[in-house]
Amino acid sequence: MACCRSAKSLTRLILSELSVGRQPRKGYFFRACIGEPAVKPRGLVNLNASRQVLLRRFSTEVSATEQINLIKQLRERTSAPIKDVKLSLVTCNWDLEAAQKDLRKRGVVLAAKKSSRTAAEGLLSVAQTEKKAVVVELNCETDFVARNDVFQYLASSLAKIALSAESSMVQTQEAFIFGPEYLENMKINLDHPKISGETTVQNAVTEVAAMVGENVKIRRGYALSTSSHGAVLSYLHTCPQPGLGRIAGLLTLEIEDGNASLDALRGVGSSLAMHIVASKPLFLSKELVPSEALESERDILKAQAESSGKSQMAVEKMVEGRMRKYYEEVVLLEQKFVMNDSVKVKSLLNDLSKEVGSCVKIGNFLRMEVGEGIQR
């Protein structure tokens, strides 16, 4: 009887609370019915906001296994840090597409904050045809990111778009030097599992920076082209995949006779590109060494020779001998060929000219290394 009376009392209490014209008192039972937390979380003034946080945090619609799978999928799609992946998914109530969009939006901001940090690592990317070659330096902060497949894909894409671009470098045989502004506004069509679609080069670089969590930027680029009677050759050192490396050597070989075969030029040219990487020449010939550089070197060598206490005639001979050594160090044609140090590069070209039956000469050359000249 007591139990029956207690049940009737409880029923009357609930009906009275829900009667028209009365505001229900929010006791524990009422809060439990409507899903409102019995105790307001500290620091949360807005009850609706706190409810949404709790619903996302303790959602029964997305199981723990599903959450792990979503985190894994978004991580694979974006390569973003796992803490950022989880934050975007929670914020978007575990909606994968919305979380990816949110991550990209926030990533742009993060990339902008990192843009002032030193980026001295990265890769050189080379794209070429028989008559033209382009090398682009794409920098990042660490060698770890330089091994990232998205970073490498972007580097390769940049060289290809620079090679296909119509510019003054097509009409000239001189080296064409360009900075990041030359590429930034160009359209680029990306086709990678983690980054795809048509966008501008600048946006693509920003998006990759957001993915890898580092400062990523284009530093510089060079292009070499040759006449119809020549070929462009290249060599990449420390090469993670074709067309990418940390040090690049490029040169053009010109031949006077337009009917001569270019096969012999390609073989020797590839070896010369490797030589350029290894020997680090600064000038093509003696005539192209600036007079200021010669005077500076001569003054240094003369001071060193005079300190020996020998006669003036002996000093002059010592200086001339050391100047010949200087030319062998910095002038490409005067260097000993790295694959056969018994001959100089100019002798190698003379032998090649005899083989093809026409004069062969080097038109231009360049050597690039990732991060050279950057204050670390």
Side-chain angles (χ1 to χ4, degrees), residues 246-267:
R246 287 188 54 83
I247 310 174
L250 285 82
L251 79 157
T252 62
L253 287 180
E254 310 286 343
I255 187 169
E256 287 185 356
D257 184 2
N259 296 320
S261 173
L262 297 178
D263 291 339
L265 267 67
R266 295 188 188 99

Side-chain angles (χ1 to χ4, degrees), residues 205-241:
V205 171
T206 302
E207 187 167 345
V208 170
M211 286 184 180
V212 300
E214 287 192 5
N215 182 16
V216 175
K217 63 180 182 180
I218 304 169
R219 184 185 179 201
R220 55 181 173 163
Y222 287 85
L224 289 180
S225 57
T226 184
S227 66
S228 57
H229 309 316
V232 180
L233 295 312
S234 65
Y235 170 76
L236 280 162
H237 186 65
T238 315
C239 187
Q241 59 174 286

Side-chain angles (χ1 to χ4, degrees), residues 73-94:
Q73 289 181 49
L74 188 55
R75 169 81 170 156
E76 289 175 350
R77 283 190 186 186
T78 63
S79 297
I82 194 166
K83 64 177 183 179
D84 294 326
V85 168
K86 291 173 68 176
L87 178 60
S88 288
L89 283 168
V90 170
T91 303
C92 298
N93 203 19
W94 300 96

